[in-house]
C-alpha cells in the first residue's frame, strides 16, 4: 500500500488528464446559429413589429377589410403573394381622399377560416399559412398586416362579430396588441353604432357626409367613423371623398341667405296674415309662433305639436261670419278673428278675342318669342307636349284652330309635324325658309360638346327623336343643299322631305350621346352634343364637371311662407341657403358650379331656361321647398319629392329623394318621408342638354319641417344628401377606372 507523507516532504498528487476544448466551441457555435435563425425568423415574420407603437387615434377613421378582401387573400398561392396584396392594400387605403388612420380586420374568410396562426386551436387555419420545408416558418397574415399598417401610420383593430370576443379573438388581440372594433345595435342613425376601444363611432358607409357633420357638433355622441368596407371603397371612393369634403369645417353659412330675419318666439298668428281677414273655405290651417317654454292653448285645447322654437299650426273649422279664437301662451291672452265669407257668384262672361291672327296666318311663319314654348298635341292641354321649342325657332303654319283660354278666345298654330303652338308664345313674320349649304364640326372645350354649326342662314324649329344611341332631328321649314362633314363621334345623313329635312345621327358607342341642344345665334343655327361627364378618382372626383343650381323664387317672389311669417325666413331664403351650401361642397369635390342667382334677386323663368340652354352644364338642379293649400291639417303633410320631364332625369330625381331622406333621418325629430318622384312639365325640367330635376326639399307650412328647413345645421345635412345623390348619379353614368 502506497503511503503519502505530509511532513517535511513534498506533496505528491495525481496528474490530471488534459481537458478537451472542443465541447465549449461547438456549444457556442450552436448558440450563435440559433440566435441567427431566431433573428432571421423575427425579421421574416415581423415579430419585432408585433407590438403596435402607435396609440389608437383619438378620432378613428376606420376602413374595414371585409370578407371579400379576406377571401382574395386566402386565394393567394404563397406567402409572397399574400404580402404583396397586403402591402398594395395598405398603400391604396393611404391614398384615399379621407383622413383614414386605422384599419379593422377579423382575420377570417367568409367560411370562417383563419388567416392567422390560432394559438387556441379553435379555428381552421387556411392552408396557405402551412409550414413548408426547412427553416420555413408558419406565416401569419394578421401579424404581417399589423407591421405593414404601422409603417403607414395606421392602427389596426380586431373586428369581432360579438360584443364579447371569443377565446381565439382574445388570444389574437393579446399577441398583436390590437384593440377591438365591435358593432352594436342602435335605434337611431344619429347614434354611434360601432365601438373601437374607448371610441364610439358613427357609420359612414352610405352616409359619410352626415357622419362627418355629426362629428363636428359640440354635443357629438361619437368620436370617430367607420368609413366603409374596402371591397366598396377601392372601386368607389365616394364615401371617402364626401367625408373629406364635409369634415374640413369650411362651408357657406346658410343663415347668410336670410340675413337678420329670424323666427320670433313670442305668441302671434302669422296666417291668416291679418286679423279679421276674409276667407271663403270651410277650414283654415292657422299658423303662428309662440314661446316654446310655455304651453300653448287655443280655445281651451293644448297644442301638442310644435317646433322646437315654438312654430305651430292647427286646423280651424270656419262658420260663415266671424270666427274668433283665443290663444294663451304664458302671458296675456291673444284673440284673433277669421271671417268666412259667402262665396261670390259672378255671371258668366262671353270670352273675348285676344287679337291673335286666325286662318289668315296659314302659310306664314311663326317665330317663338318666349324663352321656351311647347308644340302640343292639343293646344288647350298644357301637358300634351310633343316638343320643346326655344326662343328664335321658326316654323310654317299649316293650319289654325281657335280655342278658349280662360276668358279669352285665342289660336293654336299647327305645324307640319302635327303639333300646335299657342299664339301667345309666338310672333307671325314673313320670313324665307332656312337654307343650309353644309356644316362644320368642332369641339367646344368649355362646355365639353361636339358642335355642328350649319353654314347658311335660318333658325328652324327642331323636333327630335332619341332612341338608344341614335338622334333624329327634323328641321322645319329648312332646305339642305350640301354635304355632311365627317366626324369620328357620329355619322350623319340628311333626308329632304318637302319643306323640312331630317338629320339622322348614330353616335359611336365609345363616345355616346349624353345630351343635346339647339342654339340660335345671330341668325345661325348650332347643335351641341354633350359628352358624358367622367367622375375621376382621388380628392377631387368631380373635376371637369359643371353643375348648375337654381334656387327657386327670389326678391318680391317669396315662394311659400312658413309658420314664422313674413319677417322670418321664407321659401326663397331657404332655397338659396341650401343651394349655396351645396355649391360649397360640390366645389370641394372639384366641380364647377353655376348659379342662376346668388342673392335675393329674381331671374325670370325665361332667364333660368336660357341659362340652362346656353351654358350647357352637365347637370341642372332647381331647389325649392313645397307649398300646399292651407285648408287642411298640414301637420300631417311633410317630406321630400322631385320632378323630372325627360326619362334621362328620372334616375337623378330618384337618387335625390332617396339620399335626402336617408341623410335627414339621422337628425330629424320626425320620421322623414320620401314622397317619391313624378313627371312634371316645369320649364326648368325640360332640358335636352343634361338631366334636369326640380327638388322639393320639405314643406314650409308644416311647423316642425319649417323649423328644420330654416335651421343652419339641418341645411348642412340636407346639402349632404343632395351632394351624395349628385355624385351617385354621375358615378353611375361613368364610373372611374379603379386604380
Amino acid at each position: 500500500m502506497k503511503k503519502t507523507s505530509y511532513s517535511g516532504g513534498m506533496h505528491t498528487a495525481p496528474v490530471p488528464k488534459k481537458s478537451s476544448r472542443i465541447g465549449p466551441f461547438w456549444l457556442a457555435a450552436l448558440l450563435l446559429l440559433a440566435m441567427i435563425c431566431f433573428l432571421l425568423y423575427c425579421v421574416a415574420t415581423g415579430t419585432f413589429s408585433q407590438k403596435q407603437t402607435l396609440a389608437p387615434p383619438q378620432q378613428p377613421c376606420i376602413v374595414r377589410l371585409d370578407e371579400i378582401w379576406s377571401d382574395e387573400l386566402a386565394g393567394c398561392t404563397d406567402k409572397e403573394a399574400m404580402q404583396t396584396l397586403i402591402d398594395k392594400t395598405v398603400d391604396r387605403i393611404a391614398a384615399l381622399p379621407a383622413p383614414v388612420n386605422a384599419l379593422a380586420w377579423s382575420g377570417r374568410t367568409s367560411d370562417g377560416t383563419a388567416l392567422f396562426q390560432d394559438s387556441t386551436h379553435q379555428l381552421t387555419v387556411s392552408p396557405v399559412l402551412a409550414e413548408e420545408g426547412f427553416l420555413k416558418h408558419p406565416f401569419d397574415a394578421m401579424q404581417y398586416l399589423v407591421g405593414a399598417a404601422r409603417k403607414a401610420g395606421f392602427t389596426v383593430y380586431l373586428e369581432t362579430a360579438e360584443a364579447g370576443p371569443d377565446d381565439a379573438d382574445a388570444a389574437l388581440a393579446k399577441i398583436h396588441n390590437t384593440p377591438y372594433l365591435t358593432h352594436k345595435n342602435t335605434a337611431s342613425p344619429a347614434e354611434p353604432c360601432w365601438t373601437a376601444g374607448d371610441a364610439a363611432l358613427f357609420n359612414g358607409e352610405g352616409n359619410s357626409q352626415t357622419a362627418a357633420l355629426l362629428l363636428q357638433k359640440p354635443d357629438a355622441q361619437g368620436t370617430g367613423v367607420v368609413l366603409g368596407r374596402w371591397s366598396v371603397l377601392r372601386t368607389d371612393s365616394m364615401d371617402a371623398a364626401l367625408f373629406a369634403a364635409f369634415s374640413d369645417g369650411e362651408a357657406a353659412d346658410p343663415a347668410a341667405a336670410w340675413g337678420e330675419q329670424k323666427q320670433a318666439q313670442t305668441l302671434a298668428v302669422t296666417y291668416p296674415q291679418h286679423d279679421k281677414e276674409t276667407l271663403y273655405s270651410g277650414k283654415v290651417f292657422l299658423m303662428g309662433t309662440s314661446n316654446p317654454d310655455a304651453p300653448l292653448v287655443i280655445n281651451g285645447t293644448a297644442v301638442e305639436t310644435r317646433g322646437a322654437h315654438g312654430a305651430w299650426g292647427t286646423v280651424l273649422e270656419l262658420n260663415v261670419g266671424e270666427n274668433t279664437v283665443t290663444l294663451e301662451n304664458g302671458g296675456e291672452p291673444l284673440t284673433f278673428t277669421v271671417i268666412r265669407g259667402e262665396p261670390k257668384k259672378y255671371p258668366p262672361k262671353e270670352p273675348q278675342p285676344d287679337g291673335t291672327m286666325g286662318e289668315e296666318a296659314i302659310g306664314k311663319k311663326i317665330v317663338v318669342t318666349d324663352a321656351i314654348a311647347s308644340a302640343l298635341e292639343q293646344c288647350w292641354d298644357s301637358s300634351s307636349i310633343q316638343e320643346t321649342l326655344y326662343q328664335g325657332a321658326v316654323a310654317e303654319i299649316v293650319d289654325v284652330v281657335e280655342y278658349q283660354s280662360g276668358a279669352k278666345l285665342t289660336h293654336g298654330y299647327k305645324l307640319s309635324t302635327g303639333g300646335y303652338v299657342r299664339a301667345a308664345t309666338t310672333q307671325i313674320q314673313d320670313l324665307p325658309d332656312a337654307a343650309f349649304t353644309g356644316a362644320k364640326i368642332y369641339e367646344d372645350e368649355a362646355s365639353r360638346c361636339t358642335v355642328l354649326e350649319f353654314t347658311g342662314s335660318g333658325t328652324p324649329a327642331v323636333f327630335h327623336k332619341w332612341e338608344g344611341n341614335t338622334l333624329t332631328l327634323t328641321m322645319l321649314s329648312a332646305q339642305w343643299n350640301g354635304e355632311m362633314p365627317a366626324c369620328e363621334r357620329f355619322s350623319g345623313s340628311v333626308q329632304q322631305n318637302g319643306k323640312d329635312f331630317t338629320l339622322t345621327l348614330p353616335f359611336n358607342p365609345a363616345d355616346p350621346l349624353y345630351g343635346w341642344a339647339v342654339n340660335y345665334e345671330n341668325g345661325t343655327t348650332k347643335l351641341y352634343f354633350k359628352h358624358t361627364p367622367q367622375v375621376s378618382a382621388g380628392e377631387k372626383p368631380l373635376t371637369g364637371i359643371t353643375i348648375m343650381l337654381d334656387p327657386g323664387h327670389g326678391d318680391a317672389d317669396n315662394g311659400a311662407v312658413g309658420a314664422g311669417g313674413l319677417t322670418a325666413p321664407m321659401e326663397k331664403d331657404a332655397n338659396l341657403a341650401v343651394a349655396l351650401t351645396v355649391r360649397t361642397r360640390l366645389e370641394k369635390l372639384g366641380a364647377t358650379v353655376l348659379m342662376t342667382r346668388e342673392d335675393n334677386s329674381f331671374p325670370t323663368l325665361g332667364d333660368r331656361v336660357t341659362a340652362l340652354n346656353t351654358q350647357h352644364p352637365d347637370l341642372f338642379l332647381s331647389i325649392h321647398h313645397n307649398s300646399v293649400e292651407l285648408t287642411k291639417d298640414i301637420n300631417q303633410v311633410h317630406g321630400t319629392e322631385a320632378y323630372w320631364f325627360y326619362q334621362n332625369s328620372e334616375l337623378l330625381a330618384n337618387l335625390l329623394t332617396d339620399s335626402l331622406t336617408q341623410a335627414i333621418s339621422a337628425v330629424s325629430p320626425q320620421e322623414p318621408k320620401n314622397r317619391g318622384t313624378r313627371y312634371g312639365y316645369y320649364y326648368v325640367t325640360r332640358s335636352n342638354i343634361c338631366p334636369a330635376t326640380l327638388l322639393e326639399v320639405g314643406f314650409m307650412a308644416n311647423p316642425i319641417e319649417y323649423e328644420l328647413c330654416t335651421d343652419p345645421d339641418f341645411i348642412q345635412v340636407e346639402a349632404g344628401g343632395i351632394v351624395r345623390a349628385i355624385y351617385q348619379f354621375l358615378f353611375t353614368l361613368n364610373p372611374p377606372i379603379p386604380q
Side-chain angles (χ1 to χ4, degrees):
M1 182 174 183
K2 187 175 179 180
K3 296 182 179 179
T4 302
S5 172
Y6 290 94
S7 57
M10 183 178 292
H11 169 68
T12 303
V15 178
K17 294 181 180 180
K18 187 175 181 181
S19 63
S20 173
R21 306 179 68 87
I22 297 176
F25 172 79
W26 279 108
L27 179 61
L30 287 172
L31 287 173
L32 179 60
L33 180 62
M35 290 178 64
I36 292 172
C37 291
F38 177 72
L39 288 172
L40 290 173
Y41 174 84
C42 291
V43 170
T45 62
T47 300
F48 292 142
S49 302
Q50 282 187 18
K51 300 295 183 181
Q52 294 192 51
T53 59
L54 295 175
Q58 291 184 344
Q59 283 196 317
C61 181
I62 300 175
V63 171
R64 296 172 57 213
L65 299 173
D66 55 5
E67 291 176 345
I68 295 176
W69 183 80
S70 298
D71 291 345
E72 292 176 5
L73 193 63
C76 293
T77 56
D78 52 37
K79 175 188 72 175
E80 287 73 19
M82 295 181 78
Q83 290 174 334
T84 299
L85 177 57
I86 292 171
D87 289 337
K88 182 179 179 181
T89 298
V90 171
D91 289 343
R92 289 184 62 192
I93 292 175
L96 283 173
V100 178
N101 51 32
L103 309 177
W105 188 38
S106 70
R108 294 172 174 79
T109 61
S110 58
D111 62 3
T113 302
L115 287 168
F116 54 86
Q117 299 298 333
D118 176 27
S119 60
T120 67
H121 305 291
Q122 296 183 44
L123 306 174
T124 301
V125 178
S126 173
V128 75
L129 304 186
E131 180 179 359
E132 298 177 4
F134 179 66
L135 288 183
K136 292 281 187 179
H137 60 276
F139 182 70
D140 187 316
M142 175 65 83
Q143 182 174 270
Y144 190 85
L145 172 67
V146 169
R150 181 182 60 80
K151 293 176 184 177
F154 293 155
T155 297
V156 174
Y157 290 85
L158 175 62
E159 184 175 336
T160 60
E162 304 293 338
D166 58 27
D167 291 341
D169 281 342
L172 185 62
K174 183 177 180 180
I175 291 172
H176 299 300
N177 194 28
T178 54
Y180 298 118
L181 173 70
T182 306
H183 189 267
K184 64 176 184 177
N185 293 322
T186 59
S188 168
E191 298 177 10
C193 62
W194 294 88
T195 57
D198 296 329
L201 310 180
F202 292 111
N203 180 25
E205 185 173 4
N207 212 3
S208 59
Q209 76 288 348
T210 302
L213 294 170
L214 289 171
L215 282 170
Q216 296 177 51
K217 293 179 69 66
D219 56 349
Q221 301 178 52
T223 56
V225 63
V226 174
L227 195 59
R229 295 169 292 149
W230 176 237
S231 63
V232 175
L233 289 167
R234 65 184 173 186
T235 57
D236 179 6
S237 59
M238 174 174 62
D239 276 312
L242 291 178
F243 185 78
F246 280 83
S247 61
D248 64 4
E250 296 180 11
D253 176 15
W258 54 77
E260 299 299 318
Q261 294 185 108
K262 63 180 180 179
Q263 177 190 317
Q265 296 188 22
T266 55
L267 183 60
V269 176
T270 58
Y271 183 82
Q273 294 178 10
H274 308 290
D275 191 22
K276 296 186 178 181
E277 187 170 332
T278 300
L279 304 176
Y280 295 95
S281 60
K283 294 180 181 179
V284 62
F285 188 65
L286 208 68
M287 292 193 303
T289 59
S290 67
N291 178 0
D293 298 324
L296 174 62
V297 177
I298 299 179
N299 284 347
T301 301
V303 176
E304 302 294 340
T305 303
R306 284 192 290 169
H309 302 295
W312 58 269
T314 188
V315 177
L316 180 65
E317 299 275 354
L318 297 178
N319 299 314
V320 175
E322 292 190 355
N323 298 262
T324 300
V325 294
T326 301
L327 304 94
E328 300 173 84
N329 185 221
E332 289 293 325
L334 171 68
T335 60
F336 192 88
T337 300
V338 182
I339 300 173
R340 180 184 175 186
E342 291 279 7
K344 297 181 180 179
K345 295 181 180 180
Y346 298 95
K349 290 184 178 181
E350 287 294 324
Q352 298 299 311
D354 66 353
T356 55
M357 190 178 292
E359 291 186 357
E360 63 272 25
I362 295 175
K364 297 182 181 296
K365 299 284 182 25
I366 58 165
V367 180
V368 174
T369 52
D370 283 8
I372 189 172
S374 301
L376 303 166
E377 294 282 354
Q378 299 171 322
C379 51
W380 51 87
D381 181 2
S382 298
S383 67
S384 62
I385 300 171
Q386 264 192 0
E387 186 60 79
T388 298
L389 305 176
Y390 293 96
Q391 189 174 47
V394 174
E396 183 174 320
I397 302 169
V398 299
D399 198 4
V400 176
V401 297
E402 184 180 75
Y403 70 100
Q404 183 175 340
S405 176
K408 297 289 186 181
L409 284 176
T410 187
H411 297 93
Y413 299 133
K414 189 176 183 180
L415 309 182
S416 60
T417 56
Y420 291 88
V421 179
R422 289 174 173 171
T425 62
T426 68
Q427 186 179 84
I428 295 177
Q429 295 183 9
D430 288 323
L431 294 171
D433 288 349
F436 300 129
T437 57
K440 60 180 179 180
I441 296 175
Y442 57 91
E443 291 295 317
D444 180 49
E445 298 297 333
S447 63
R448 292 193 310 101
C449 290
T450 303
V451 182
L452 179 65
E453 182 177 346
F454 291 101
T455 305
S457 62
T459 56
V462 180
F463 278 64
H464 85 285
K465 185 177 181 180
W466 188 352
E467 291 182 328
N469 209 27
T470 298
L471 180 67
T472 303
L473 302 175
T474 299
M475 321 289 281
L476 304 190
S477 303
Q479 299 297 311
W480 175 263
N481 296 292
E483 295 293 328
M484 179 61 62
C487 178
E488 292 184 2
R489 191 175 178 203
F490 56 78
S491 57
S493 61
V494 179
Q495 178 70 47
Q496 188 75 46
N497 301 304
K499 291 189 174 183
D500 309 330
F501 73 80
T502 299
L503 177 62
T504 303
L505 301 170
F507 279 76
N508 186 339
D511 190 2
L513 179 64
Y514 177 70
W516 74 277
V518 56
N519 286 170
Y520 306 118
E521 303 172 11
N522 300 319
T524 64
T525 299
K526 295 181 182 179
L527 297 174
Y528 288 78
F529 305 112
K530 192 82 171 172
H531 295 278
T532 304
Q534 174 72 63
V535 174
S536 57
E539 295 183 5
K540 304 288 186 180
L542 303 187
T543 298
I545 294 174
T546 301
I547 297 165
M548 181 174 284
L549 300 177
D550 171 40
H553 306 284
D555 196 20
D557 180 6
N558 295 323
V561 179
L566 296 172
T567 58
M570 293 172 281
E571 185 195 348
K572 65 174 182 179
D573 307 307
N575 296 343
L576 181 59
V578 173
L580 291 174
T581 309
V582 169
R583 177 179 70 174
T584 302
R585 301 304 188 179
L586 286 173
E587 288 177 341
K588 289 184 183 301
L589 293 170
T592 298
V593 181
L594 308 174
M595 302 283 289
T596 59
R597 70 179 179 100
E598 301 178 64
D599 51 26
N600 187 30
S601 57
F602 177 68
T604 65
L605 280 175
D607 294 334
R608 298 169 203 250
V609 169
T610 300
L612 168 57
N613 199 49
T614 58
Q615 297 189 53
H616 309 125
D618 297 302
L619 185 148
F620 177 91
L621 176 60
S622 188
I623 297 173
H624 287 253
H625 287 72
N626 228 330
S627 61
V628 64
E629 192 173 0
L630 301 177
T631 56
K632 58 183 177 181
D633 187 2
I634 315 301
N635 290 308
Q636 309 304 318
V637 181
H638 70 285
T640 298
E641 62 191 30
Y643 293 86
W644 52 273
F645 181 76
Y646 288 114
Q647 203 97 36
N648 64 342
S649 301
E650 187 176 7
L651 174 60
L652 174 60
N654 285 325
L655 289 172
L656 283 164
T657 54
D658 290 347
S659 179
L660 190 52
T661 303
Q662 179 186 3
I664 65 178
S665 68
V667 294
S668 176
Q670 63 182 4
E671 185 68 25
K673 183 176 182 179
N674 185 343
R675 297 171 61 88
T677 66
R678 298 175 177 84
Y679 167 85
Y681 50 93
Y682 297 102
Y683 276 20
V684 292
T685 61
R686 292 168 57 181
S687 167
N688 279 309
I689 192 63
C690 69
T693 300
L694 187 147
L695 175 67
E696 299 279 9
V697 177
F699 283 83
M700 297 295 285
N702 180 299
I704 292 177
E705 197 152 78
Y706 168 76
E707 287 194 352
L708 293 175
C709 290
T710 55
D711 177 81
D713 288 342
F714 194 80
I715 289 171
Q716 296 283 0
V717 173
E718 291 173 329
I722 293 170
V723 171
R724 170 174 284 273
I726 290 173
Y727 186 109
Q728 284 178 310
F729 176 78
L730 294 168
F731 180 90
T732 301
L733 291 177
N734 206 351
I737 299 173
Q739 295 180 341

